[in-house]
Amino acid sequence: LAQDQLKHLLQLLQAAPEGLLDVECGTLDGDTPYADRDRMLKHGQVILTNPDMLHVSVLPSHKQWHRVLSSLKYVVVDEAHTYKGVFGAHVAGVMRRLIRLCKRYGSSPQFFHCTATIMNPALHFGC
């Protein structure tokens, strides 16, 4: 999923006005080579990842990820409808840790939850 999203994001940036072509984008997941992970750590501006990588890689090494955590503006959670039950509780805990560390490093990101699957999103989210 992240690779497909990255492909479309790069196409969008190519069609955008000049200046956006220099945005450093990449994925951070289990398939990401270590050299690319290091590039995202040092230069990433748009990082496509998942709750497991946040839990296993980013949050425990938050001092290394200070640059990202201190400037984080947006967190987009795709496939939000899948985060329910015990798994959803785990993901909520990861997101709370992310928020706490962002505050520690001086940022306060906005969260966006997306899903293209739910027929009645207001009912799903208790609205």
Side-chain angles (χ1 to χ4, degrees):
L1 180 63
Q3 292 297 329
D4 188 50
Q5 290 172 333
L6 179 62
K7 181 180 95 174
H8 292 317
L9 176 61
L10 293 174
Q11 288 172 348
L12 180 67
L13 291 173
Q14 289 290 334
E18 253 184 82
L20 289 179
L21 295 176
D22 296 333
V23 174
E24 186 71 36
C25 303
T27 59
L28 179 66
D29 59 26
D31 295 327
T32 305
Y34 285 101
D36 291 346
R37 293 177 190 201
D38 192 51
R39 183 175 54 83
M40 287 294 97
L41 172 69
K42 292 177 181 169
H43 307 290
Q45 293 171 288
V46 176
I47 302 171
L48 304 172
T49 191
N50 57 57
D52 290 328
M53 285 302 287
L54 286 174
H55 175 70
V56 171
S57 263
V58 176
L59 300 180
S61 304
H62 59 89
K63 290 179 182 174
Q64 290 178 299
W65 287 91
H66 173 270
R67 184 193 65 79
V68 173
L69 295 171
S70 66
S71 62
L72 191 61
K73 292 182 181 162
Y74 307 107
V75 175
V76 179
V77 179
D78 197 11
E79 301 295 331
H81 64 281
T82 63
Y83 302 119
K84 55 189 174 187
V86 173
F87 182 57
H90 167 73
V91 171
V94 170
M95 294 303 158
R96 282 193 293 273
R97 286 173 51 213
L98 175 62
I99 291 167
R100 182 175 45 86
L101 287 168
C102 285
K103 284 182 182 178
R104 177 178 178 175
Y105 291 113
S107 70
S108 182
Q110 268 187 293
F111 282 75
F112 298 90
H113 293 81
C114 307
T115 181
T117 307
I118 293 178
M119 187 180 304
N120 187 345
L123 180 62
H124 179 76
F125 290 105
C127 300

